[in-house]
Amino acid sequence: MMDILMNRRTIRKYTDIKVDDILLQEILAAGCRTSTTGNMQVYSIIITRSEAMKKALAPLHFNQKVVTEAPVLITFCADFNRFNKWCLQRNTEPGYDNFLSFVTASIDAMLVAQTVCIAAESKGLGICYLGTTTYMANKIIEVLKLPKGVVPITTITMGWPAEIPEQVDRLPLEAILHNEVYSDYSKEEINRYYSEKENRSDSKQFVDENKKETLAQVFTDVRYKKADNVHFSKILLQVLKDQGFMNQ
Ligand SMILES: Cc1cc2nc3c(=O)[nH]c(=O)nc-3n(C[C@H](O)[C@H](O)[C@H](O)COP(=O)(O)O)c2cc1C
């Protein structure tokens, strides 16, 4: 298991071999053994296999090629709808129409998503997360017919790998770790911790291609721009209101 975790990489190209339904069910069942808040399982999992649904979802994932090329897409949703219905049918009033409950259900959804990924990777499958799910949650809600109480949190693509890309870097572990209390970063530490990433040839190429001075500028000016973040935040906040998570 440690080898699987240490050697994994995101896979964005898949063979034509189908992901067998029984195998997928096994992976999803293993994923659902992950920890879940109060054992409430406040999440739902939506499987997309049909070409028609992939085509409908593709533009909502900014037409990333992996969406139509992958045999399976799986969208993980924060879901209090089912739990609320159970409460109402059992003579009690649910109190989950608030932001905390959204965060609770999102945590549950991400935990199950990541456990499904590990289960899939342990079987030799490849996965790619799609962060576009939270950007376009309003439209994904329409396409996937998500009722009130349900918000899409993340999507993964899954299939048999047709590539073994180079592993990408990670910050050194010491950059992430704090002992007992948070130890804030000096300028020198920031320089040291980011130097390996900045000195990689692919990073330098990225900076040149985008005509930037630093790698950080590629993030702030190209990949994750403030204007986009503000725009998609507004949409997501509206989604939380519409889906009934901002009432208290
Ligand atoms: C929440 C989340 C959203 C992501 N969104 C995308 C995406 O939209 N498209 C994509 O190609 N990769 C996406 N990724 C994959 C990351 O780019 C990838 O994990 C990262 O570059 C590290 O590469 P590795 O997984 O191969 O180690 C996402 C990953 C996460 C965790």
Side-chain angles (χ1 to χ4, degrees):
M1 180 49 80
M2 291 295 263
D3 284 352
I4 290 166
L5 294 175
M6 289 306 290
N7 292 320
R8 69 157 298 281
R9 61 268 277 157
T10 290
I11 301 294
R12 297 181 176 87
K13 288 193 170 45
Y14 307 104
T15 68
D16 292 335
I17 301 168
K18 189 175 179 277
V19 177
D20 177 71
D21 230 346
I22 293 169
L23 175 63
L24 183 58
Q25 296 292 319
E26 198 187 325
I27 287 167
L28 295 170
C32 290
R33 292 309 312 174
T34 197
S35 300
T36 156
T37 312
N39 206 10
M40 291 189 289
Q41 292 191 267
V42 279
Y43 54 78
S44 278
I45 302 173
I46 300 179
I47 307 293
T48 305
R49 281 192 186 271
S50 78
E51 295 307 317
M53 285 301 283
K54 283 184 208 163
K55 276 210 178 108
L57 286 169
L60 311 184
H61 291 293
F62 301 172
N63 290 313
Q64 297 188 73
K65 273 202 322 207
V66 70
V67 174
T68 40
E69 290 178 2
V72 190
L73 307 185
I74 309 177
T75 304
F76 296 87
C77 305
D79 182 358
F80 258 105
N81 174 51
R82 183 178 61 246
F83 196 81
N84 287 345
K85 284 193 158 154
W86 180 58
C87 291
L88 292 169
Q89 282 178 218
R90 295 293 181 271
N91 195 27
T92 192
E93 190 61 37
Y96 311 114
D97 55 351
N98 44 63
F99 185 64
L100 181 73
S101 299
F102 168 70
V103 173
T104 298
S106 308
I107 291 170
D108 264 23
M110 277 314 295
L111 287 175
V112 74
Q114 180 53 23
T115 311
V116 164
C117 290
I118 295 169
E121 289 171 341
S122 79
K123 293 286 185 183
L125 286 155
I127 64 92
C128 177
Y129 273 97
L130 302 175
T132 30
T133 304
T134 42
Y135 287 40
M136 300 296 273
N138 55 342
K139 305 275 188 220
I140 291 173
I141 283 170
E142 284 173 21
V143 171
L144 298 181
K145 302 188 163 63
L146 307 182
K148 207 167 169 174
V150 186
V151 177
I153 298 298
T154 198
T155 304
I156 59 167
T157 61
M158 188 187 283
W160 295 105
E163 59 167 2
I164 311 176
E166 285 272 303
Q167 265 197 320
V168 299
D169 65 297
R170 290 292 190 269
L171 293 174
L173 191 57
E174 59 164 339
I176 309 294
L177 285 185
H178 302 262
N179 279 316
E180 312 295 348
V181 293
Y182 192 97
S183 142
D184 206 356
Y185 299 92
S186 65
K187 270 192 172 175
E188 188 275 329
E189 282 167 331
I190 294 292
N191 286 340
R192 181 149 48 89
Y193 293 150
Y194 283 89
S195 69
E196 192 193 323
K197 187 187 282 293
E198 289 171 327
N199 287 319
R200 286 172 63 97
S201 57
D202 52 354
S203 298
K204 289 188 166 163
Q205 198 183 330
F206 227 13
V207 174
D208 290 345
E209 278 169 8
N210 288 292
K211 301 193 168 50
K212 295 291 163 191
E213 288 162 11
T214 70
L215 184 62
Q217 289 175 354
V218 178
F219 284 87
T220 59
D221 301 354
V222 183
R223 297 189 67 192
Y224 302 98
K225 289 185 276 194
K226 176 164 181 165
D228 293 345
N229 295 337
V230 169
H231 173 72
F232 291 115
S233 292
K234 280 187 187 145
I235 294 174
L236 188 56
L237 282 167
Q238 188 59 47
V239 163
L240 297 194
K241 277 186 199 143
D242 294 345
Q243 297 305 88
F245 283 108
M246 297 294 258
N247 294 341
Q248 282 169 10

